[in-house]
Amino acid sequence: MLQGSCLCGAIRFETAAPPKGVSMCHCSQCRKQSGGVWSSAYVPERELHIEGVVNWYASSDTAKRGFCPTCGSFLFWKAHDEDTISFALGAIDGPTGLTLEKHIFVANKGDYYDITDGLPQSAQ
C-alpha cells in the first residue's frame, strides 16, 4: 500500500495497485508547476483513493492537473481520455519501493541540467 499527502495534509491518497510508468517528466508545464522535474507513476483511477478537496486545472486540451487548494502541492495528472491517474512520487509518505523507468518530454527539458542516468528518454 502506497500512501501520500500534500504538504499541509489536507489531501491524502493511497493505492494498493502496483504503480506503472515510473517516470520523470521534463515538459514545460510540469517544470513550471513543480519548479523542476516532476516524478510520477500511474494506477487505474478507480484504484487511487483520495481524501480531501482537489482543485483541478485543465492545463491543456488533453489533460488536467490536480493540486491542493491550501498549500498548492501538485499531486495528480489525469488525461481526459484515459482511465488512469498519475500521482506525484515526491508526495509518497516513506519509501516507495519503485525504480525510475524513463524520462519523458525531454525535448522540453531545461537547459540548466543534463540527464546522465542512462535510462530511456522520450522526446514526448
Side-chain angles (χ1 to χ4, degrees):
M1 177 73 70
L2 285 178
Q3 298 176 327
S5 65
C6 64
L7 183 60
C8 71
I11 297 175
R12 299 206 49 80
F13 62 93
E14 67 179 23
T15 186
K20 297 182 180 178
V22 182
S23 62
M24 300 288 272
C25 185
H26 302 266
C27 80
S28 60
Q29 289 185 2
C30 281
R31 287 190 296 114
K32 286 179 184 253
Q33 191 160 24
S34 71
V37 178
W38 195 60
S39 57
S40 68
Y42 65 87
V43 295
E45 185 173 18
R46 68 184 178 284
E47 297 291 331
L48 187 67
H49 306 286
I50 301 171
E51 293 179 16
V53 177
V54 177
N55 275 11
W56 291 96
Y57 172 66
S59 55
S60 70
D61 292 339
T62 59
K64 61 185 180 180
R65 295 162 180 271
F67 61 95
C68 175
T70 303
C71 67
S73 295
F74 168 32
L75 300 170
F76 309 111
W77 184 92
K78 171 82 177 95
H80 299 312
D81 63 351
E82 295 178 7
D83 64 354
T84 60
I85 186 168
S86 296
F87 58 90
L89 295 178
I92 298 298
D93 301 328
T96 66
L98 302 173
T99 302
L100 186 63
E101 299 172 10
K102 61 188 173 183
H103 295 270
I104 58 175
F105 291 95
V106 298
N108 301 110
K109 80 171 211 46
D111 64 355
Y112 47 88
Y113 64 93
D114 294 316
I115 303 170
T116 61
D117 59 14
L119 291 173
Q121 298 181 24
S122 171
Q124 303 244 343

